[in-house]
Amino acid sequence: MNRIACIGAGYVGGPTMAVIADRCPQYTVTVVDVNADRIAAWNSDRLPIYEPGLEEVVFRRRNRNLFYSTDIPAAVRDADVIFVSVNTPTKTFGAGAGQAADLQYIEKTARSIIEYADSDKIIVEKSTLPVRTAQAMSRILHSNTRGLKFQIISNPEFLAEGTAIADLQNPDRVLIGGMDDTPAGQAAIETVIAIYANWVPRDRIITTNLWSSELTKLVSNALLAQRVSSVNSISALCEKTEADIDEVTRAAGRDSRIGAKFLKAGIGFGGSCFKKDILNLAYLCGYYGLPEVAEYWTQVVRINDYQARRFVGNMLSAMFNTVAGKRIAIFGFAFKADTGDTRESPAIAVCRQLLEERAELAIHDPRALGNARLDLESETGVIDYCEDPYAAAASAHAIAVLTDWMSFRELDYRRIFESMQKPAFIFDGRNLLDSAEMYEIGFNVYPIGRKALTHF
């Protein structure tokens, strides 16, 4: 059982399979995708996604025991274990639109497997899926007319973009859910355990039933997002009362029952998982007749959207109630540092609102400019995409820090201040910069959840 295939070469499948190949040289790992351009990028010197440490792992194992291909039929036939890591976006049509997961790609993948498979397989769900999706996948797979048997395993990912390789190499836990009430089901669980046991301590490998595993992924992301929205709601109160959000969270986080993680105020969470998974969880609660629970989780997303609107509202208020015709330098477009991913980035909402107010944008991001162009291609207005942060800030009326890239701390802000229109503003949506230092230079500084420092 040492031949692995992964269907889906995106943010989950690509890094996960690279680390498995690196830590399990006795396995042959093949990653396949219908997107030929994406596969070509995985086979090139410029990978399709950026993650610290990813290039080193891929270049070390590629064409040794790690392969990227568009030949899905061959990969399915040859593999003993098939990881399914295809996209499961939120539905935009029909029943559950705006909340439920769109499972059409999962179903298409299952049908491809039964079309091309010629032997029994272990199928591992790696995509984020609603509870009991495994049951639907099992029914499709076992509709084959050749008597093939498939064992379904749930193995959700818990990667944080920007630290995905470190998360894979030293995970908090690996969750494996399966049907252990049959010898074949238990054997499948043990097969997947054996993969991770090559480098993960056995006490970090948790086994559950299928349904608990599927639900744990949604719940984990929902609880993390809930903390972000909770602290962001308090940041609004801090600004009204002149409390300091950093002091409040530092003191609250010392309570061992609360902890300090995910208590950093900002313009909101983004990425491919949090919003999608919370809405999916809310939809499931509504589907099973729990409207109050559904509303509770939906409110977490609403607070996140509110934080972005509030940020732009503060910009308007500070800049004399208009940004029309004013150049705004956007520092950061990715949803977090150390990634080029802009999916559900709060920067998208902020930039769209500023464009609606007729602002002129100059966007800089170390890794996400290409995605920024795609995200804003349908918007009207003046947008300048800048490789150089100093060029973005030149002649700007304000800087909006929207991503917590550490490189932004190292810029020469005296030089930047001299190049800007006066009065010059910094709206620090990540509380990344030293407000007192920026104020001393001459900026009017507006952080999140802390007192603004202004010269008028």
Side-chain angles (χ1 to χ4, degrees):
M1 304 293 288
N2 64 349
R3 296 171 299 178
I4 296 173
C6 178
I7 301 177
Y11 280 86
V12 175
T16 301
M17 293 302 111
V19 170
I20 288 177
D22 194 43
R23 295 304 181 104
C24 308
Q26 71 275 31
Y27 288 79
T28 299
V29 181
T30 303
V31 183
V32 292
D33 200 293
V34 296
N35 188 325
D37 290 339
R38 180 179 295 169
I39 291 298
W42 279 111
N43 282 316
S44 73
D45 291 334
R46 187 174 179 84
L47 304 184
I49 64 175
Y50 172 73
E51 277 290 332
L54 177 61
E55 285 188 353
E56 292 86 342
V57 175
V58 170
F59 295 165
R60 189 159 57 234
R61 302 313 311 176
R62 193 172 63 192
N63 298 325
R64 292 179 174 84
N65 68 322
L66 175 62
F67 304 91
Y68 299 93
S69 172
T70 57
D71 192 348
I72 295 175
V76 170
R77 284 193 302 269
D78 294 343
D80 304 304
V81 180
I82 300 174
F83 285 78
V84 176
S85 186
V86 298
N87 195 18
T88 54
T90 302
K91 285 186 73 175
T92 58
F93 58 90
Q99 287 191 312
D102 186 347
L103 299 180
Q104 60 174 305
Y105 304 110
I106 287 289
E107 180 171 346
K108 289 176 181 177
T109 300
R111 295 191 184 281
S112 294
I113 291 172
I114 60 175
E115 179 181 357
Y116 304 129
D118 56 10
S119 61
D120 298 348
K121 310 287 182 185
I122 296 172
I123 309 300
V124 182
E125 297 177 336
K126 202 67 182 170
S127 304
T128 301
L129 300 168
V131 183
R132 303 195 78 83
T133 300
Q135 186 176 54
M137 180 178 285
S138 179
R139 290 177 64 185
I140 294 169
L141 290 169
H142 287 108
S143 69
N144 75 88
T145 58
R146 288 168 290 163
L148 299 178
K149 300 297 183 183
F150 299 93
Q151 297 298 322
I152 313 299
I153 298 293
S154 172
N155 175 220
E157 56 85 14
F158 298 103
L159 309 180
E161 289 189 42
T163 59
I165 299 302
D167 295 340
L168 286 161
Q169 292 173 334
N170 187 29
D172 292 333
R173 80 289 203 197
V174 172
L175 181 57
I176 299 171
M179 302 297 287
D180 60 359
D181 54 353
T182 66
Q186 184 59 49
I189 293 172
E190 293 300 327
T191 296
V192 179
I193 288 174
I195 296 171
Y196 288 102
N198 281 276
W199 78 95
V200 179
R202 186 61 182 83
D203 60 359
R204 295 189 197 175
I205 302 176
I206 302 170
T207 58
T208 69
N209 68 41
L210 270 172
W211 326 127
S212 295
S213 179
E214 289 179 333
L215 184 57
T216 297
K217 170 62 177 177
L218 299 184
V219 170
S220 295
N221 280 343
L223 290 173
L224 291 173
Q226 178 196 50
R227 287 172 68 88
V228 176
S229 283
S230 294
V231 77
N232 281 342
S233 71
I234 300 302
S235 73
L237 181 61
C238 285
E239 290 169 24
K240 294 293 185 182
T241 60
E242 296 191 8
D244 186 308
I245 189 65
D246 290 342
E247 293 178 348
V248 171
T249 56
R250 183 167 63 251
R254 292 295 292 273
D255 188 323
S256 60
R257 298 166 301 175
I258 297 172
K261 292 184 177 180
F262 274 73
L263 289 182
K264 183 172 176 58
I267 55 171
F269 57 74
S272 63
C273 291
F274 278 9
K275 183 176 181 179
K276 180 184 71 171
D277 289 354
I278 295 168
L279 293 174
N280 192 356
L281 183 62
Y283 176 76
L284 288 172
C285 292
Y287 178 83
Y288 287 107
L290 303 169
E292 292 84 0
V293 181
E295 176 60 25
Y296 174 84
W297 288 109
T298 301
Q299 189 61 32
V300 172
V301 175
R302 290 176 182 161
I303 287 291
N304 197 58
D305 296 340
Y306 158 78
Q307 189 75 344
R309 295 195 305 272
R310 193 174 74 83
F311 182 78
V312 175
N314 285 345
M315 293 181 70
L316 287 169
S317 178
M319 297 178 71
F320 319 112
N321 295 313
T322 180
V323 292
K326 296 178 180 177
R327 182 178 173 93
I328 309 295
I330 304 296
F331 278 13
F333 201 88
F335 83 92
K336 63 184 294 189
D338 293 320
T339 179
D341 194 356
T342 63
R343 289 176 292 179
E344 299 295 340
S345 174
I348 299 173
V350 170
C351 288
R352 284 175 176 166
Q353 292 174 58
L354 289 172
L355 289 169
E356 289 175 1
E357 295 289 341
R358 308 292 177 85
E360 299 178 1
L361 304 184
I363 300 174
H364 166 72
D365 188 285
R367 291 282 177 175
L369 279 187
N371 284 333
R373 291 178 187 272
L374 295 174
D375 291 326
L376 298 178
E377 63 181 351
S378 62
E379 303 299 320
T380 58
V382 178
I383 308 176
D384 186 12
Y385 298 94
C386 303
E387 296 286 348
D388 181 3
Y390 296 101
S395 299
H397 294 77
I399 297 169
V401 180
L402 304 185
T403 308
D404 52 345
W405 287 99
M406 289 300 104
S407 60
F408 293 159
R409 286 181 171 175
E410 301 167 1
L411 298 175
D412 183 346
Y413 282 93
R414 292 189 181 276
R415 171 185 168 187
I416 288 173
F417 178 77
E418 292 301 324
S419 75
M420 292 176 64
Q421 301 285 341
K422 307 299 185 297
F425 297 84
I426 288 181
F427 298 92
D428 191 351
R430 297 295 182 181
N431 287 349
L432 183 69
L433 307 179
D434 184 324
S435 294
E437 180 182 345
M438 297 301 106
Y439 175 76
E440 188 274 332
I441 290 172
F443 288 103
N444 298 286
V445 188
Y446 292 80
I448 296 284
R450 301 205 306 256
K451 183 180 178 180
L453 301 179
T454 67
H455 292 276
F456 50 82

